[in-house]
Amino acid sequence: MGFSKISCQLLLAAAGVSAKWVVPGARWRDTKGDLVNAHAGGVTVDQETGKFFWFGEYKIEGQVEGGGISVYSSEDLVTWEPHGLALKPIEGHPYIDTHHIIQRPKVAYSDDTGKYHMWWHADNSTYGWLLQGFAQAENITGPYSFVDATLPLGNWSQDFGMFTDYKDGKTYALYSNGDRKEGRDVYLTSYNDNITALDKVVHRFDKYDLEAPTIVQTDKSYFALMSHKTGYRPNNVVAFRADKLSGPWSQPFIISPLNTRTFNSQSGFSLRINGTKKTTYLYMGDQWDSISLWESRYIWLPLEVDEEAKTIEAKWHDVYDLDVKTGEVTPINGTTYYSANATTTGEAYHQEANFASQHVITTGISGNDSKVTFHNIAGTGKPQWVSFYYQNTDDMGFGDQPGGTPNRFGGTWQLRRIASVIVNNKTEVVDSLYQRDTHKGIILSTPLLLNLENGTHNTITIGGLFNNQTYSGADIDRLVVYPPEE
Ligand SMILES: *[C@@H]1O[C@H](CO)[C@@H](O)[C@H](O)[C@H]1NC(C)=O
Ligand SMILES: *[C@@H]1O[C@H](CO)[C@@H](O)[C@H](O)[C@H]1NC(C)=O
Ligand SMILES: *[C@@H]1O[C@H](CO)[C@@H](O)[C@H](O)[C@H]1NC(C)=O
Ligand SMILES: *[C@@H]1O[C@H](CO)[C@@H](O)[C@H](O)[C@H]1NC(C)=O
Ligand SMILES: *[C@@H]1O[C@H](CO)[C@@H](O)[C@H](O)[C@H]1NC(C)=O
Ligand SMILES: *[C@@H]1O[C@H](CO)[C@@H](O)[C@H](O)[C@H]1NC(C)=O
Ligand SMILES: *[C@@H]1O[C@H](CO)[C@@H](O)[C@H](O)[C@H]1NC(C)=O
Ligand SMILES: *[C@@H]1O[C@H](CO)[C@@H](O)[C@H](O)[C@H]1NC(C)=O
Ligand SMILES: *[C@@H]1O[C@H](CO)[C@@H](O)[C@H](O)[C@H]1NC(C)=O
Ligand SMILES: *[C@@H]1O[C@H](CO)[C@@H](O)[C@H](O)[C@H]1NC(C)=O
Ligand SMILES: *[C@@H]1O[C@H](CO)[C@@H](O)[C@H](O)[C@H]1NC(C)=O
């Protein structure tokens, strides 16, 4: 994109600010200022120190598979220190070569072996093997040495998840068994006591054709969360509930407002935070970007459980404070600015929209002179999160539209648009706002960290710069400006 280099500099300058709040869908940066590169991963709590270790797929620009498995550590689930690759791909290796699929890693400590055991979906580049990989390390951050890649109890295994029951410490594997007609199930299978091999099938979620499984355990229930199969495009994640892992399991139900496609994310992992004041359940989803996979982001949200109603629900917050000691989640309040009050130029205009704030949405924003400017925005002179509420009605080729249908502008569907964002007319500092497809009438938000000046005279302009897409900006509903972190 034409302006991505400049925006990187802007963000690196802001990276000195130590993160404190969770901002779902933002560019998360590690303590060195690099993007947190741990996709479709899992978080393991070190039993001795209570520290969190995040393992995930490492992806660099232009590369799809075989990047190995990265590891980061944190005490607060927000500040992430990188520890490099926990599992390095090995050129020419039969299972962990740079061309192989090394996906959805999870790590558990084995008391018996005194080692950390890493398991993942191991495959060749065309998903022809459907194996589970196993590697071990003495230290949680690795290096992990490859042990084996096997068919679980002789069957196939694609998307891989892992779950440890907090009541008895037993560990289980969760895996979908692929897309073939004979597959399309999700298995819940226990490990042996030393987590070196699978033991026995505890339950099979039969023929639902779901993937990306994770289990949330509350005091009374187990909730198994899984996504539908729409590739890198998000869908409405579902949950099943049971009293026991062996079932009976409930009917599946959707865990987020309909058509938000789980706030544009896919399930994959979850964490139970047993705080001193509250137990919090965290949904840890991936917001895939199939156009540039390495730029995929993370959507972590608190899950609200109602044991009476037997429901679990992901709750959206633009910005929230997560206290891992007390377990409390505190949403941060911001100031809202409506697009009905913003000015437009060129072909951008206010259009009636009964689902939008003040029944007006701003549309026609493009890379030429068609832009929308918000005025009189209060700033502090410090970097602040700004959430852009937008609607993107491009059709993603699934769900309500058949694949390949041209969108209403005559182009082919795209996973997301990118609009330029300029603060106070400073065109030398431009940021790029990624606006993934939402759905007609569905308004979601995506954040940027912006430098607003101290005072109430700030302007924020969306659109206006060519970014290599014919129709760049999605429709804008409103902005919410958050206070600086500190
Ligand atoms: C636009 O995209 C094309 C194809 O991805 C690329 O070759 C070209 O360099 C881009 N142009 C600009 C101005 O970014
Ligand atoms: C992957 O494995 C399957 C099954 O052995 C095989 O048919 C396919 O050709 C393999 N793909 C590649 C790229 O080697
Ligand atoms: C494990 O970590 C310790 C220090 O944290 C280090 O001394 C030791 O060499 C590491 N072991 C391996 C196998 O890397
Ligand atoms: C293997 O998969 C087949 C087909 O889903 C199933 O009938 C069989 O029970 C599975 N075996 C095990 C041990 O999971
Ligand atoms: C793990 O346990 C199994 C039996 O459950 C045993 O056969 C195997 O030797 C053990 N492996 C290790 C590395 O302890
Ligand atoms: C939760 O944490 C408390 C201490 O805050 C501890 O006493 C208790 O055993 C923990 N419960 C579980 C189920 O982990
Ligand atoms: C946010 O606003 C709500 C409603 O006014 C209030 O109850 C809450 O305490 C505020 N939160 C913070 C972090 O200030
Ligand atoms: C936005 O516009 C409406 C009517 O157009 C007006 O009533 C309201 O005061 C304006 N709000 C702000 C913050 O300017
Ligand atoms: C934007 O400007 C380019 C170059 O001047 C032109 O080719 C394109 O048609 C314009 N697009 C729109 C939507 O006006
Ligand atoms: C931004 O630039 C436009 C035209 O270049 C000008 O009309 C406007 O007053 C400027 N706004 C600010 C806040 O400087
Ligand atoms: C921001 O401006 C206010 C008054 O306009 C002033 O009191 C305050 O010190 C300024 N803050 C900074 C960080 O400059």
Side-chain angles (χ1 to χ4, degrees):
M1 297 305 141
F3 44 83
S4 61
K5 278 211 177 77
I6 311 172
S7 67
C8 278
Q9 282 161 12
L10 168 77
L11 285 152
L12 282 173
V17 188
S18 76
K20 175 171 156 256
W21 293 333
V22 184
V23 187
R27 295 182 179 95
W28 291 5
R29 298 201 172 262
D30 65 22
T31 50
K32 285 187 179 161
D34 297 321
L35 288 176
V36 174
N37 197 334
H39 306 280
V43 172
T44 303
V45 185
D46 181 54
Q47 293 310 313
E48 271 171 42
T49 61
K51 241 179 154 176
F52 301 99
F53 289 84
W54 180 1
F55 298 86
E57 298 169 21
Y58 181 78
K59 295 180 188 298
I60 54 169
E61 190 164 357
Q63 163 230 30
V64 178
E65 296 307 344
I69 293 167
S70 53
V71 56
Y72 295 80
S73 66
S74 177
E75 282 174 14
D76 59 7
L77 287 173
V78 177
T79 316
W80 292 100
E81 186 189 344
H83 298 281
L85 287 180
L87 182 77
K88 283 197 184 71
I90 299 168
E91 211 66 58
H93 190 280
Y95 297 105
I96 52 167
D97 179 85
T98 49
H99 296 103
H100 290 144
I101 280 170
I102 306 171
Q103 287 181 345
R104 299 192 177 275
K106 307 288 176 298
V107 170
Y109 181 72
S110 167
D111 280 327
D112 286 14
T113 65
K115 289 180 180 160
Y116 293 90
H117 293 195
M118 174 186 283
W119 290 81
W120 69 95
H121 167 210
D123 221 318
N124 72 0
S125 61
T126 52
Y127 292 77
W129 296 343
L130 299 172
L131 305 174
Q132 287 176 6
F134 172 35
Q136 284 179 321
E138 308 215 337
N139 287 342
I140 190 161
T141 54
Y144 284 77
S145 359
F146 180 86
V147 178
D148 209 354
T150 52
L151 288 167
L153 304 177
N155 274 344
W156 300 313
S157 178
Q158 195 162 325
D159 277 8
F160 179 80
M162 193 189 260
F163 164 71
T164 300
D165 192 310
Y166 77 80
K167 289 183 179 163
D168 61 11
K170 202 158 174 57
T171 296
Y172 300 81
L174 280 155
Y175 46 97
S176 57
N177 59 354
D179 304 335
R180 294 172 223 188
K181 197 160 163 246
E182 311 89 298
R184 303 183 187 171
D185 310 310
V186 171
Y187 277 88
L188 170 57
T189 304
S190 58
Y191 281 100
N192 61 7
D193 287 341
N194 53 31
I195 320 178
T196 55
L198 288 175
D199 194 8
K200 74 169 201 291
V201 173
V202 174
H203 184 74
R204 192 172 75 193
F205 296 88
D206 220 7
K207 301 301 170 209
Y208 286 104
D209 205 14
L210 298 168
E211 63 182 5
T214 181
I215 287 184
V216 176
Q217 180 183 17
T218 66
D219 292 348
K220 293 186 180 146
S221 298
Y222 297 91
F223 292 93
L225 275 53
M226 303 170 202
S227 85
H228 297 87
K229 290 183 180 170
T230 49
Y232 287 117
R233 303 181 296 277
N235 56 62
N236 293 308
V237 165
V238 295
F240 301 78
R241 198 207 67 86
D243 295 331
K244 298 196 307 280
L245 286 172
S246 57
W249 287 86
S250 76
Q251 283 272 324
F253 55 92
I254 290 167
I255 66 158
S256 55
L258 261 184
N259 292 329
T260 63
R261 299 170 183 146
T262 328
F263 305 107
N264 246 326
S265 73
Q266 182 181 34
S267 50
F269 202 67
S270 55
L271 200 62
R272 176 179 178 276
I273 300 163
N274 173 32
T276 52
K277 292 192 181 155
K278 192 176 183 291
T279 302
T280 283
Y281 307 97
L282 214 54
Y283 166 86
M284 299 165 138
D286 290 284
Q287 186 173 67
W288 295 109
D289 184 334
S290 62
I291 301 168
S292 41
L293 265 186
W294 61 279
E295 285 190 285
S296 297
R297 302 185 191 175
Y298 314 100
I299 302 284
W300 288 9
L301 296 171
L303 287 159
E304 216 161 79
V305 174
D306 184 336
E307 300 280 9
E308 294 264 302
K310 303 182 191 297
T311 57
I312 190 164
E313 225 183 302
K315 288 287 173 191
W316 179 264
H317 301 294
D318 287 342
V319 180
Y320 63 94
D321 183 82
L322 172 65
D323 187 326
V324 298
K325 299 279 180 298
T326 64
E328 289 167 309
V329 167
T330 311
I332 306 302
N333 295 327
T335 306
T336 303
Y337 299 87
Y338 297 101
S339 86
N341 293 73
T343 56
T344 60
T345 60
E347 286 163 29
Y349 67 103
H350 299 308
Q351 187 177 23
E352 175 184 318
N354 60 18
F355 52 83
S357 304
Q358 311 195 340
H359 297 170
V360 167
I361 206 159
T362 303
T363 192
I365 296 161
S366 83
N368 290 345
D369 194 37
S370 303
K371 49 193 177 184
V372 55
T373 300
F374 289 77
H375 301 269
N376 302 327
I377 293 175
T380 60
K382 292 175 189 153
Q384 287 172 262
W385 289 107
V386 178
S387 284
F388 294 73
Y389 278 79
Y390 72 97
Q391 173 197 228
N392 177 345
T393 58
D394 292 348
D395 294 310
M396 297 206 304
F398 84 100
D400 299 327
Q401 300 286 343
T405 305
N407 66 27
R408 68 192 171 107
F409 302 119
T412 49
W413 66 266
Q414 42 196 339
L415 189 84
R416 43 109 169 116
R417 296 175 176 220
I418 302 179
S420 57
V421 171
I422 299 171
V423 175
N424 294 327
N425 270 2
K426 290 183 186 151
T427 45
E428 71 279 12
V429 189
V430 179
D431 210 335
S432 47
L433 184 68
Y434 284 46
Q435 300 161 310
R436 285 163 176 81
D437 181 281
T438 57
H439 200 290
K440 293 172 188 72
I442 298 295
I443 293 170
L444 297 176
S445 75
T446 188
L448 288 179
L449 191 61
L450 297 180
N451 290 297
L452 300 170
E453 288 166 12
N454 186 29
T456 57
H457 59 279
N458 292 280
T459 62
I460 294 179
T461 301
I462 305 161
L465 287 188
F466 179 63
N467 71 0
N468 215 358
Q469 294 189 23
T470 315
Y471 284 88
S472 43
D475 303 337
I476 293 289
D477 180 68
R478 64 191 190 275
L479 308 183
V480 182
V481 178
Y482 290 92
E485 299 183 65
E486 254 170 12

Short mmCIF file of all heavy atoms in Angstrom, two decimals, residues 21 321 330-334, ligand 7:
data_model
loop_
_atom_site.label_atom_id
_atom_site.label_comp_id
_atom_site.label_asym_id
_atom_site.label_seq_id
_atom_site.Cartn_x
_atom_site.Cartn_y
_atom_site.Cartn_z
N TRP A 21 -3.65 -1.56 28.41
CA TRP A 21 -5.02 -1.94 28.12
C TRP A 21 -5.07 -2.95 26.98
O TRP A 21 -4.18 -2.96 26.12
CB TRP A 21 -5.83 -0.71 27.73
CG TRP A 21 -6.02 0.26 28.86
CD1 TRP A 21 -6.02 -0.04 30.18
CD2 TRP A 21 -6.23 1.67 28.76
NE1 TRP A 21 -6.24 1.09 30.93
CE2 TRP A 21 -6.38 2.16 30.07
CE3 TRP A 21 -6.35 2.55 27.70
CZ2 TRP A 21 -6.61 3.50 30.35
CZ3 TRP A 21 -6.58 3.89 27.96
CH2 TRP A 21 -6.72 4.36 29.28
N ASP A 321 -9.39 -2.54 30.49
CA ASP A 321 -8.31 -2.86 31.41
C ASP A 321 -8.58 -4.27 31.95
O ASP A 321 -9.70 -4.59 32.32
CB ASP A 321 -8.31 -1.85 32.57
CG ASP A 321 -7.18 -2.11 33.52
OD1 ASP A 321 -6.07 -1.67 33.23
OD2 ASP A 321 -7.40 -2.79 34.55
N THR A 330 -12.28 -3.88 33.24
CA THR A 330 -12.88 -2.55 33.32
C THR A 330 -12.87 -1.89 31.94
O THR A 330 -11.80 -1.53 31.43
CB THR A 330 -12.09 -1.65 34.31
OG1 THR A 330 -11.91 -2.38 35.51
CG2 THR A 330 -12.80 -0.36 34.58
N PRO A 331 -14.04 -1.76 31.33
CA PRO A 331 -14.08 -1.07 30.03
C PRO A 331 -13.68 0.40 30.22
O PRO A 331 -14.04 1.02 31.22
CB PRO A 331 -15.55 -1.17 29.62
CG PRO A 331 -16.15 -2.21 30.50
CD PRO A 331 -15.36 -2.22 31.76
N ILE A 332 -12.92 0.92 29.27
CA ILE A 332 -12.51 2.32 29.33
C ILE A 332 -13.53 3.15 28.56
O ILE A 332 -14.01 2.74 27.50
CB ILE A 332 -11.09 2.49 28.72
CG1 ILE A 332 -10.09 1.53 29.41
CG2 ILE A 332 -10.62 3.93 28.79
CD1 ILE A 332 -9.96 1.69 30.92
N ASN A 333 -13.89 4.32 29.11
CA ASN A 333 -14.86 5.18 28.45
C ASN A 333 -14.17 6.19 27.55
O ASN A 333 -13.13 6.73 27.90
CB ASN A 333 -15.69 5.95 29.49
CG ASN A 333 -16.55 5.00 30.32
OD1 ASN A 333 -17.01 3.97 29.82
ND2 ASN A 333 -16.75 5.35 31.58
N GLY A 334 -14.77 6.45 26.42
CA GLY A 334 -14.23 7.45 25.51
C GLY A 334 -15.27 8.49 25.16
O GLY A 334 -16.39 8.46 25.66
C1 LIG B 7 -17.58 4.54 32.39
O1 LIG B 7 -18.87 5.09 32.42
C2 LIG B 7 -19.78 4.35 33.21
C3 LIG B 7 -21.16 4.96 33.03
O2 LIG B 7 -21.11 6.34 33.19
C4 LIG B 7 -19.31 4.35 34.65
O3 LIG B 7 -20.19 3.61 35.44
C5 LIG B 7 -17.92 3.76 34.71
O4 LIG B 7 -17.41 3.83 36.01
C6 LIG B 7 -16.98 4.47 33.77
N1 LIG B 7 -15.72 3.73 33.71
C7 LIG B 7 -14.54 4.28 33.92
C8 LIG B 7 -13.37 3.39 33.79
O5 LIG B 7 -14.41 5.46 34.20
#
